[in-house]
Amino acid sequence: MEASTRRARRHDPDRRDKLIAATLDIIAEHGVAGVSHRTVARAADVPLGSTTYHFTSLDDLLAAAFTRHADSIAGVFEERMRAAPDRAAAIESVAEHISGDLLDANHDLVLSVELYGAAARKPVLRAVTQAWMRRSREALEHHFDPTTAREVDALIEGLVLHSALSTDPMTPAQVRAALHRFLP
Amino acid sequence: MEASTRRARRHDPDRRDKLIAATLDIIAEHGVAGVSHRTVARAADVPLGSTTYHFTSLDDLLAAAFTRHADSIAGVFEERMRAAPDRAAAIESVAEHISGDLLDANHDLVLSVELYGAAARKPVLRAVTQAWMRRSREALEHHFDPTTAREVDALIEGLVLHSALSTDPMTPAQVRAALHRFLP
DNA sequence: CCTCCATGTGTACGAGCGTACATAACGATC
DNA sequence: GATCGTTATGTACGCTCGTACACATGGAGG
């Protein structure tokens, strides 16, 4: 342990992570408007000063949180597409993805929509959504041509949103039917 | 002028309307987080007290503003669908709708996305989005069967969102192609 | 013309906000 | 074990916030 551990951190195992996780929880429950240094610090059970130490500003914290969220969802989707052996299996995976085993209606969805709203106004976050969209499209391109991938990506977005906001959401069978109409 | 004008308002031609319009402008520019009694009053050029007089709370004002927005968009879309003489014309109208002559990227879109985000957390606003979705679907049903209408409604949502958030948005021709793939 | 009361406004209060910054805590180095 | 500099925290400041509420104001009924 000479040169290798020279730069080891003192005694902060995962403060940054805890702060980001707490931020995401707050956004999911109260929206971006509910995020403040104090609410985050309370939720993460850390002192107030810790939030300004690890993130230079609130915007910085929000960007980190949204980046983590987008990366997480994109990673799971990529994994699903990579695991699908063929086109039919890929379609089935997409249907499952939409029907909500991943986007459990009241957490990930709110995070995604809040991200869209913030991204529409802040260039930094716009870059996050774009990277996410690109990864989704590329994952779909393992099974579909680029044009189709792009269109299906948009269709997924719309189906997820409508499913989440509707009191009468589409059943998994209806979702599958819609996909198969698009991908005969 | 006896009984009929007894209940006429004193000298407030359209204060409520001005407040709602100002609120929508602020949401479009700064998000729901930017809405406060003071920012709205300043934007509408009315005294602070006027905001609490016409709306019992901020949530009340936000609900009124989002309702106005949803009604407005739904109304325009209904009109477009009603005006389309046949199925082909309807598809063309939908394509134009998506390609942005209506949702000019940085105003109506932000409003819609902010509404989605708020609706995912507040039941009152959820009702607003549901009424909007129902009207859209019914408008589409002038030209398509209910199942198709529902699927196209979702597709529209996804295409609008992706167009708005992408630096490389789909061209009108690509949007048209996607629609025709779904509606051969 | 006077009175009255619904309609509309200005001010004030307590709370919470982002952020700066002086200071404490503590591992590494000698 | 003494020193030092990075890492981390508590406190304080100036500001904006939502909302309550006392007061102005001006048309309607006498």
Side-chain angles (χ1 to χ4, degrees):
Chain A
M1 298 186 175
E2 290 135 29
S4 65
T5 50
R6 277 263 221 68
R7 299 265 78 220
R9 286 196 225 95
R10 213 87 65 70
H11 67 73
D12 178 45
D14 42 15
R15 266 292 171 70
R16 247 188 97 91
D17 284 356
K18 272 175 63 179
L19 286 169
I20 289 177
T23 303
L24 288 174
D25 285 345
I26 291 171
I27 297 173
E29 199 168 350
H30 304 289
V32 174
V35 175
S36 76
H37 286 115
R38 287 165 176 83
T39 55
V40 170
R42 215 171 298 140
D45 195 35
V46 302
L48 171 59
S50 191
T51 60
T52 56
Y53 177 74
H54 288 282
F55 300 92
T56 60
S57 74
L58 256 196
D59 278 350
D60 196 35
L61 173 56
L62 283 173
F66 277 131
T67 301
R68 155 97 102 248
H69 169 72
D71 280 353
S72 159
I73 304 244
V76 172
F77 188 67
E78 274 173 353
E79 188 46 47
R80 279 174 172 278
M81 287 303 104
R82 210 176 347 246
D86 57 19
R87 186 185 151 103
I91 294 176
E92 189 52 34
S93 276
V94 169
E96 286 170 14
H97 176 82
I98 294 169
S99 291
D101 63 338
L102 184 139
L103 297 171
D104 52 293
N106 281 10
H107 190 271
D108 289 351
L109 174 92
V110 177
L111 288 176
S112 300
V113 177
E114 291 278 338
L115 169 55
Y116 297 155
R121 277 175 287 105
K122 304 212 179 174
V124 182
L125 296 178
R126 177 96 56 121
V128 173
T129 59
Q130 274 165 24
W132 178 8
M133 274 171 53
R134 201 173 50 74
R135 286 178 67 181
S136 290
R137 269 204 258 167
E138 281 173 6
L140 286 166
E141 287 173 9
H142 286 142
H143 302 281
F144 309 103
D145 70 89
T147 300
T148 303
R150 180 162 203 178
E151 293 170 354
V152 171
D153 196 31
L155 178 60
I156 292 172
E157 198 79 63
L159 289 172
V160 167
L161 215 60
H162 273 53
S163 288
L165 291 177
S166 177
T167 43
D168 167 33
M170 286 170 91
T171 65
Q174 287 173 315
V175 169
R176 233 184 330 260
L179 283 173
H180 277 104
R181 182 206 287 234
F182 208 85
L183 304 165
Chain B
M1 295 187 173
E2 292 134 28
S4 65
T5 51
R6 277 263 221 66
R7 301 265 78 220
R9 290 197 222 95
R10 213 88 65 70
H11 66 75
D12 177 45
D14 42 15
R15 266 292 170 70
R16 247 187 97 92
D17 284 356
K18 272 174 64 179
L19 285 169
I20 289 177
T23 302
L24 288 174
D25 286 346
I26 291 172
I27 297 173
E29 199 168 350
H30 301 105
V32 173
V35 175
S36 76
H37 286 115
R38 287 166 176 81
T39 55
V40 170
R42 215 171 298 140
D45 195 36
V46 302
L48 170 61
S50 191
T51 59
T52 56
Y53 178 74
H54 288 283
F55 300 92
T56 60
S57 74
L58 256 195
D59 279 349
D60 196 35
L61 173 56
L62 282 173
F66 277 130
T67 302
R68 154 97 104 247
H69 169 72
D71 280 353
S72 159
I73 303 246
V76 171
F77 188 67
E78 273 173 354
E79 189 45 47
R80 278 173 172 279
M81 288 302 104
R82 210 178 344 249
D86 57 19
R87 186 185 151 103
I91 294 176
E92 189 52 35
S93 277
V94 169
E96 286 172 13
H97 177 83
I98 293 170
S99 290
D101 64 338
L102 183 139
L103 297 170
D104 52 292
N106 280 10
H107 190 271
D108 288 351
L109 174 92
V110 177
L111 288 176
S112 300
V113 177
E114 292 278 338
L115 170 55
Y116 297 156
R121 278 175 288 105
K122 306 214 178 171
V124 182
L125 296 178
R126 178 95 56 123
V128 173
T129 59
Q130 274 165 25
W132 178 8
M133 274 171 51
R134 201 173 49 74
R135 286 178 68 180
S136 289
R137 271 204 256 166
E138 281 172 6
L140 286 166
E141 286 172 11
H142 286 142
H143 301 281
F144 310 103
D145 68 90
T147 300
T148 302
R150 180 161 202 179
E151 294 170 353
V152 171
D153 197 30
L155 178 60
I156 292 171
E157 199 78 63
L159 289 171
V160 167
L161 217 58
H162 273 53
S163 288
L165 291 178
S166 177
T167 42
D168 167 34
M170 285 169 90
T171 64
Q174 287 172 313
V175 169
R176 233 185 331 259
L179 283 173
H180 278 104
R181 181 204 287 235
F182 206 85
L183 305 165

